[in-house]
Structures are given as structure tokens and as C-alpha cells.
Amino acid sequence: MSGRAKKAAAPKRKANGYKMPAPIPLGEVLVDTIGKKKWRIGPSIGVGGFGEIYSACDHESSPKKGGGYPYVIKIEPHENGPLFVEVHFYIRNSNKADIEKYMKDKKLTTFGMPLYFGHGSHVFKGEKYRYLVLERYGQNIWSLFLQNGRLFPPHTVFLLGLQMLDVLEYVHTRGYVHADIKGGNILLGLKKGTEHQAYLVDFGLATRINDKEFKPDPKCAHNGTIEYTSRDAHLGVATMRGDLEILGYNMLQWLTGQLPWEKNLQQPKTVQEMKEAFMRNVRKEITKLSSSVPEALIKYFEYINTLKPKDRIDYTKCKQMLETYLKSQGVSRSSKLEFTTKKKRGSKTVNGDQNDSGTEKNKEKVLKKNSIKQNGEAKVTKRGRKARTVMTDENSENEEPSTTDNVSPRKRGRKPQTIYLEVNSEDEASIGKEQSIRKVPVRAKKRKSTEPSVLVKVKKTKMAPKATPPVKKNHANISTQTSVDRPRRNPRQVSFDSPVSAVIGDESKSDKSTKEKSANSSPDVFEDSLIVEDKKVKPKRKLLSQQEVTVRG
């Protein structure tokens, strides 16, 4: 190592030929000599097409982590041109007094035109830079578009279109066209109350309206972002109708996720020809792209086709087209911007194919029960349980089951069975076309007889119960009741744990003859199942005296 200090790397140039600035360190102070104000550089936010963008704050304030930088500063080398154009546009058209007056005239509570706060020049490491100070905004629409699967809800697209038409009307009345409208140049507000207001930024390609004869300029041909560039801009002329056309292409992309010429962006001439073909037959081309594009956007494009290059725009008519659609959806201009598309859950058949939600109540009922149609029968299945069997009439194929069908078989105390519903041939054809249904084996139906029914009484004979084996000697037999019908409760209590099931009665009233009968009283209960045999039982010994005697050893 020679120990020599390395020279600072020269600013790199981008593919578009513009020189990029060297990184500015955190805390660098920029002095606005005209406004007599100092700005302190914060963390870098991103790199644009012509320079770098930093967060910033007043030099006197001490920012906290996160939200302590209320401004942004765009910096680019002094020799670049776009920021020079943008600075002078903001100086003329973006002061606070003019914007507030316009909002009051148009009765707007929020407005998507950025405010200008300052500009100047700054020298860093021998390189001279130009900078512009603006209000800081939030996330851009393009990043939200990618985050949400390249699709926005239709009402959000039309709300964004209305907000951008407000800004374009202001810019056009000031004698300029933007010429580079796109999602990356549309930012959401950060301040309270502006979270659902979109701001159009980056006026680096802003051009004064040319009142002279419309004449193509090959030097400026295809200016802008190629996928959105208007037909006039492809010829090198920026026009007011071109701004409306660029906005329309953005709205179409937000609605459908793509533009017809996105695969040919490397050939500007091809893109130009495809746009001209598209605008010649807007309705047909949009229908090819998607059948769900609202009619309001088609009419918007058709209105652009009626304009000549130098015609003034009827902004009220354009806004009414978009507002008509929003009213049909129950959305007002003050509604919130929602960028997540709410997917409708379609009903699924047994095969798992998605189905439409259904236009008829009968179809909805069949789909809710996940019915399986098969040769005039519909087997209704339920997840996690089985249904019970009920044969219904021919005209009841779409009736709702009773409330007991929704109860678990275990709770009903019955075995789970299967429901079979009959489906008419007409309904079978209409339902079968809209549902992909898995076939199941057919159960043969019983043939109905045409003979009149006759009531026949059948007499059932009771089977004789099997006899209980005889009681073994010196063995305690436990008798079992074998009668078909359970006898009613008898006032006499019968014990089944004695050898012969003796009847226990009131001994005080019984005599010797009664005791003899009690031993043989079992046969009147089990007359057909027991064999009774006499058995002598020794009487219990009686105490001669109740006197207790204590013996001492």
C-alpha cells in the first residue's frame, strides 16, 4: 500500500445520460439563500430518474426517530435539466396562496397539488448540486399496486381518477401539461386528514402548452414512461388531451392488471402503433382485455377520441362520467381509498370447483347442502356428520330440511342415516350445467304398486321363555327374569338372591301355614321357569335371657 488517499469516485451516469449525485451524508446542512432558511438532510428515501431524494427537516429542529422529517429534498447535479424545469414550475404554480384560492373556488377540502417550500444550490466535495424542498408524502400508488397483486377495487380506481382530474385541471389552467402521470408519481398524504388524498408529484417533464399549430417533433418523440405515453407524446408533442389519455391508461391497468402493449416496451414504435389501434376501437379492445371494465371508463376514452390536439377539456363532463359509476356503487367522492380487493367466496361443489354465488334461491339451497345429483336423486352430505334418511315427494327436491336434520345424530340418540331427495328432470338439467358434480353409485328404488292398499291385522304369538336350570344344593343361585313382558310393580317385594326367591312379608301376622306357603310362593312369579323343591331349615336359636353377664378372667 502506498498510503495515498483515494480520490472520491466521480458521480455515475444513468442509462438515460443524466449524471447521478454522490451520496450526501446524514446531517448535512443546505442553505436557501433566497428564502434565508437552512435545511438539514435526513436518511435517503430513494433514487429517481435524475437524482436522489432525501428526508429533511428545519436546521433548528431536532428530529426524532421515524416521523421527525416533515419534508423531502430532491438533489441532482447542477448540469442536469429536469430538476431545473421542476423548480421553476413549482415557483410559478405551487405557492400556498394560489392553491388555497383554487380549493376555495372549487369547494375542495383536500387537493392533490404539492406545496413548494424552497430551493437552492449546494456544493459538496467540489460538486455543485441543485435542490428542491417539498412536503413529505407517503407510499406511492405503484408500490401499493404491486403489493395487492396488480389489482385495485374499481371504486378506488375511479376515486384516484377524480383526484387526478382535479390536479390536471389546475395544472392546465396554469398553462402546463404534466406529461408523466403514473403510479410512481402519485403519493398518498401523511398528515392527518390527507391519508386518502393522492398527490401528483414529479413535474420534471412538465411542458408549457403550445398554442401554435400541432407539429410533430422527432427530437422529443416517445417522451415519458413508454407504457403510458400518449399518442401525441409519441409524436413529440405534449398536449392536454394527452394527459387525459395517460391517466386513462393508468386506470385501465389498475382495473385489469395489464396493458395490451406491455410485452413490447422495448420497441416504442410498436407500442405507438398498438395504442393507435387500441384508440380506434376502444370498446372492442377493452372487452378483449377484460369483460369487467365499467362502462364509464370506455366512455371516458371515447370522449378523448372526440378531442382535437388543441381543444380545451370539458373537465366537468369527465368527472361526471366517473362520478356516475361511483354513485351506482354507493360511493361518494369523500370515501376512503381501499387498495385491497375483496374476493367473493364462490360456492364449491364436491369436486372443489368454484361456482357462482347463484342467481336463484333453489340453486343456492342445493349448493349450501353440497348436494350430489345422480339419476333423479340428490344425496345430501354434511361435513363431519351423516344425515338421516327421509324419502320426500317429487316436488320437494329443493326444500330446506327440518331443524332436527341440523342436530348431531348423537344428540338425537339415533343412528345417523342418509337423506335422499328427488330432483325433477328440468331442475336436474339446469343445476347440472352449473355444477361439476361427482357421481355416486345408484341405489335401486322400490317399485310402487298400483293396487289399492289393504289393512291387515297380524296376531303375534309369544314365545315360551326358556327355563332356568334347577337350583343346586348348597349353592346360592341368582335368578334372572325371563318373561317377555316386564310385570308391574307388586306390593310384595321379591328378592332374587335367595335360593328359591322367597317372598318377604310381615312376620308378625304370619303363622306356620303362611311360612310354609312362603317357601313355595315363587312359582306364582316364575311358574313356567322354576322347579321348586322342599328344604328343611333349622330354626334360629333364641336367647333365654336378655341379661348381659360380664366374666372376669
Side-chain angles (χ1 to χ4, degrees), residues 330-353:
V331 180
S332 64
R333 283 202 58 164
S334 58
S335 298
K336 295 181 179 180
L337 297 174
E338 298 175 353
F339 297 99
T340 303
T341 304
K342 295 179 181 179
K343 295 182 180 179
K344 294 182 180 180
R345 292 183 180 180
S347 302
K348 292 185 179 181
T349 58
V350 178
N351 286 343
D353 298 332

Side-chain angles (χ1 to χ4, degrees), residues 360-383:
E360 298 180 6
K361 293 182 179 179
N362 291 341
K363 295 176 185 178
E364 289 179 358
K365 291 179 181 179
V366 176
L367 293 176
K368 286 180 182 177
K369 297 297 180 182
N370 296 330
S371 59
I372 305 171
K373 175 177 64 62
Q374 179 66 28
N375 292 341
E377 296 183 359
K379 183 177 180 181
V380 179
T381 58
K382 299 182 180 180
R383 292 182 180 177

Side-chain angles (χ1 to χ4, degrees), residues 362 392-399 421-425 427:
N362 291 341
T392 61
D393 296 333
E394 294 180 0
N395 297 325
S396 63
E397 70 277 2
N398 290 323
E399 290 182 0
L421 302 176
E422 297 182 8
V423 181
N424 292 335
S425 59
D427 293 338

Side-chain angles (χ1 to χ4, degrees), residues 3 12 27 31 59 332 364 404 459 486 496 535 550:
K12 295 181 180 180
V31 180
H59 176 52
S332 64
E364 289 179 358
T404 56
K459 187 176 181 181
R486 187 180 181 86
F496 298 104
K535 186 177 181 180
T550 305

Side-chain angles (χ1 to χ4, degrees), residues 101 126 148 224 248 272 323 356 413 429-431 455 522 547:
K101 184 179 181 300
N148 290 278
Q272 179 185 355
E323 285 175 341
D356 293 335
S430 63
I431 297 172
L455 182 63
S522 175
Q547 186 178 0

Side-chain angles (χ1 to χ4, degrees), residues 282-294:
V282 174
R283 187 175 296 273
K284 182 179 178 182
E285 294 297 325
I286 288 182
T287 305
K288 285 181 182 178
L289 195 63
S290 175
S291 59
S292 61
V293 176

